[in-house]
Amino acid sequence: MRLLGGAVAAGLGLGALTVLVVVLWISSPYPDSGPHGALHIAVDLWLLAHGAGLVRTGSGGGASVPVELTPLLLTLLPAWLLWRATRGALAEAFAPARAEAVRAAAWVSTGYLLVGAVAVWYATDGPVRVDLLSAGVRLPLVTVGVTGLAAWAALGRPAPALPAVVRPVRGAFAERRGAGARRYGTLRVLTAAPQAVAVLRTTVTGVLLLVSGGAVLLLAGLAWHTEAVHEALGGLTGSWSGALAVLLLTLALAPNAAVWAAAYGLGPGFTLGAGSVVAPLGAGGMPRLPHFPLLAALPGEGPGSPLTWSAAAVPLVAAVAMGRSAAQAAVPLRGARDSALTPRVTAALAGLAAVGCALVMALLALLAGGALGNGQLAHFGPVWWLVAPATLAWAAGVGVPTALAIRAWRLRPRRGATPVGAGVGRGGAPPGGVGPRAEPAGAGPSGAGRGGAGRGGVATGGRGPGGAHADAGTGAGSRSGWRRPRRAGAAPAPQGAGGRARRAEQQDDWHSTAARRTRWAALKEASGGLVPDFPPRRRD
C-alpha cells in the first residue's frame, strides 16, 4: 500500500499538469501540435518541477538550447503530494518508531520514482526533451528529501543525535578544565537541544524575512513600472488563453523573482546573461530582453540612486530580527541572570545562525537561477557564491552586535520592579496575598524567616505572629521565588549541583513542629477567623 501511495502521488502531479496543459491547448486558437505534444509538455513541466533540466532541440540541425530555470512555485505541487503520501503511510501508527518511519519513506519514494522513471523515458525524445543526467540526480534527491522530512515530522521532529565519531570528542571537551574549559563549554552549550532549536529558529527567521522582503521589493518594482508590465502582458499574445498561460507562468516564477530581489537587496544583485549585473549600486551590460511582465519591473541601466539604495533595508531588518531572536533565546526571562546565556555563547549562537542563513540563501539562489540558452543566456539569476558571503556579512555584522545589545537590555533591572527570583513584598510574598512558597514566619530555631506564610500558605502583610516586621523572604538570585529554611547558624546553601545535597538535608527542618506551628498561626491570622482553633498534628 505504501508503494502504491507513492505511485498515486506521482500520478496526481502528472495528471494535474496534464489537465492544465490540455485545457490551454484546446482553448488556444493556434495549436502547434496534437494531444501527444500537449502530453509531452505536461511531462516536461512535471520533471522541470523536480529540478530536472530540459533541452530544446534546434530547428534545422541547430545547436540544442538548455532550459534549466525551475519555477519554484511549480515545485510545491509534487512536494506537497509527496508529503501527504508519506504522512498518510504513517497515519495508522499512533507513535511510529524510527525504523518504521524510515521504511515508510523508502516505500513511498520507491513508488514515486518508478512513475518518475517512466516519465523520464517518455520525455527522452521530442522537440523539448529531458536531460538524463540532471533527471537522474535531482529527481531522486527531491523525492528522498521530501519523504525524509515528512517522516521526521511524523516522529515529532526529534533533535538529531551526534554522530558516533563526535561523541567521544564532545565527552573529552566536557572533561577539560582551566582555560580551555570556557572555550569548549561554548561548544557544549550550543550543541544542547534548546540552543540548537534556537539556532534553527533564528536561521529560519532570517531566511523568511529576506525572502519576504524580496517579495516586497518585487511588488514595489511591479507597481513602479505598471505601464510597462501591462504592455508586456498584452504584447505577448492576443488571445485570452495565451494571456492566461503567461499569467500562470508569471505566478510560477514569482518565488524565483522574490529570491532575485532578496539578492538585489543584499548587494550582489543578479545577472541576466551577457555579463550583465543588476545591483543597488548600478545596472549595466543588460542584453535585449524579451517582453515578460517580471522582466519589465527591472530598474533601468545606469548608476544607483537613493531609491535603489533603500533596498538595503531588507537585509538590515532581517539581521536585526535575527539578533532579537538570538537575544530572546539567550535571556528567556527578563532580568533572570541565572538562566541567561553568557555573552560568548550568545554571540556564538547568533554567528552560527548567520552561517546557516547564508547557506540557505546560497541554496535558494542556486535553485532560483539557471540557464535559458547558450553563450550569453547561460546563466540567469543571482550568483550563489556571491550571495552567501553577502548574507553572512549582514547577518553576522549586524545580528551579533544586536543580539549582545538586546541581551544586555533584557538583563537590566526594570525600575520599580522586583528582580526575578526575589519576593514581591516582605516575607517573599505579596502583602496580604497568597505567596509563591514564601518562608514561614517566625520559625524560630528552624531558621524560617519572619513575616511570610508557610510553603503554599498565606502571607501576613509583612508581620509575623509576634508582630515584628519580616525580613526579605527570598534572595535576588533565587529562581523559584522562595527559600527553604536552614539550621540556625548554618551557611547558605550554595547554588548549582554542589548545593543539592545540602538543601536535601535541610528539608527535614521544613516539616519540624516549630515550623508547622508557625505556618498554622500565620494561616489562622490571615483567614480572619475562618480556620477552627485546634493545633496542627503531624502524621506519622
Side-chain angles (χ1 to χ4, degrees):
M1 293 299 294
R2 293 172 176 176
L3 182 69
L4 182 60
V8 169
L12 288 176
L14 280 169
L17 291 177
T18 301
V19 169
L20 178 62
V21 172
V22 169
V23 168
L24 293 176
W25 172 74
I26 293 175
S27 58
S28 176
Y30 33 81
D32 293 335
S33 59
H36 173 72
L39 182 60
H40 202 285
I41 293 297
V43 175
D44 290 337
L45 289 177
W46 186 79
L47 294 173
L48 185 64
H50 294 80
L54 303 178
V55 178
R56 182 167 58 88
T57 305
S59 58
S64 300
V65 178
V67 179
E68 298 179 353
L69 185 61
T70 302
L72 294 182
L73 188 62
L74 196 62
T75 307
L76 293 180
L77 176 62
W80 178 71
L81 291 172
L82 267 173
W83 184 281
R84 288 289 302 267
T86 307
R87 295 302 297 267
L90 293 171
E92 298 178 358
F94 178 74
R98 186 185 300 268
E100 183 180 0
V102 171
R103 285 195 299 269
W107 279 112
V108 172
S109 300
T110 303
Y112 195 91
L113 291 176
L114 288 177
V115 178
V118 176
V120 170
W121 170 78
Y122 182 79
T124 50
D125 59 349
V128 180
R129 55 182 176 85
V130 66
D131 184 22
L132 293 178
L133 180 60
S134 63
V137 173
R138 298 178 182 179
L139 180 60
L141 186 62
V142 171
T143 303
V144 175
V146 174
T147 54
L149 286 177
W152 174 69
L155 290 174
R157 299 176 179 86
L162 291 177
V165 180
V166 181
R167 293 172 191 169
V169 179
R170 188 173 183 264
F173 288 165
E175 297 175 358
R176 295 293 295 267
R177 295 293 184 267
R182 296 175 58 189
R183 180 169 65 253
Y184 298 138
T186 301
L187 176 63
R188 188 168 61 253
V189 172
L190 286 177
T191 53
Q195 280 69 46
V197 173
V199 170
L200 180 61
R201 182 170 58 248
T202 305
T203 301
V204 172
T205 299
V207 172
L208 289 180
L209 285 178
L210 283 175
V211 178
S212 301
V216 173
L217 292 179
L218 174 63
L219 293 177
L222 292 174
W224 190 266
H225 303 87
T226 304
E227 185 176 354
V229 171
H230 185 269
E231 292 179 357
L233 184 61
L236 288 175
T237 180
S239 62
W240 68 268
S241 60
L244 179 60
V246 173
L247 181 60
L248 291 176
L249 182 58
T250 302
L251 292 177
L253 291 172
N256 301 62
V259 176
W260 290 25
Y264 181 86
L266 287 169
F270 51 88
T271 179
L272 298 173
S276 61
V277 176
V278 181
L281 297 179
M286 290 191 294
R288 184 177 180 180
L289 300 173
H291 293 284
F292 193 71
L294 293 178
L295 297 178
L298 295 175
E301 292 192 68
S305 63
L307 183 61
T308 60
W309 300 340
S310 63
V314 171
L316 180 62
V317 171
V320 171
M322 291 179 66
R324 181 175 180 271
S325 177
Q328 287 179 342
V331 187
L333 296 177
R334 290 189 177 183
R337 292 184 175 273
D338 293 343
S339 60
L341 300 178
T342 63
R344 180 194 299 268
V345 177
T346 303
L349 190 151
L352 194 59
V355 173
C357 184
L359 293 178
V360 174
M361 288 303 300
L363 178 62
L364 289 178
L366 180 63
L367 296 178
L372 288 179
N374 296 315
Q376 295 182 349
L377 301 179
H379 184 77
F380 258 55
V383 182
W384 66 270
W385 51 269
L386 293 178
V387 172
T391 306
L392 182 61
W394 278 103
V398 179
V400 173
T402 302
L404 295 176
I406 297 179
R407 175 192 176 275
W409 179 77
R410 289 176 66 86
L411 286 178
R412 67 181 180 88
R414 288 181 287 180
R415 183 177 300 177
T418 305
V420 174
V424 178
R426 292 184 177 183
V434 179
R437 292 189 174 184
E439 290 188 7
S446 63
R450 296 169 294 169
R455 183 168 59 171
V458 182
T460 61
R463 291 181 179 269
H469 284 285
D471 296 331
T474 54
S478 175
R479 292 188 183 181
S480 57
W482 64 279
R483 183 190 307 154
R484 292 189 182 276
R486 60 177 182 271
R487 296 184 180 89
Q495 299 293 330
R500 293 194 183 101
R502 180 80 57 84
R503 289 195 297 269
E505 295 176 0
Q506 296 170 356
Q507 289 182 0
D508 293 338
D509 291 340
W510 180 267
H511 301 287
S512 63
T513 302
R516 292 170 62 85
R517 289 182 183 275
T518 302
R519 293 196 298 271
W520 181 258
L523 181 62
K524 179 181 176 181
E525 180 182 351
S527 66
L530 296 178
V531 179
D533 188 10
F534 57 86
R537 299 182 61 182
R538 184 171 183 175
R539 294 183 179 179
D540 297 331

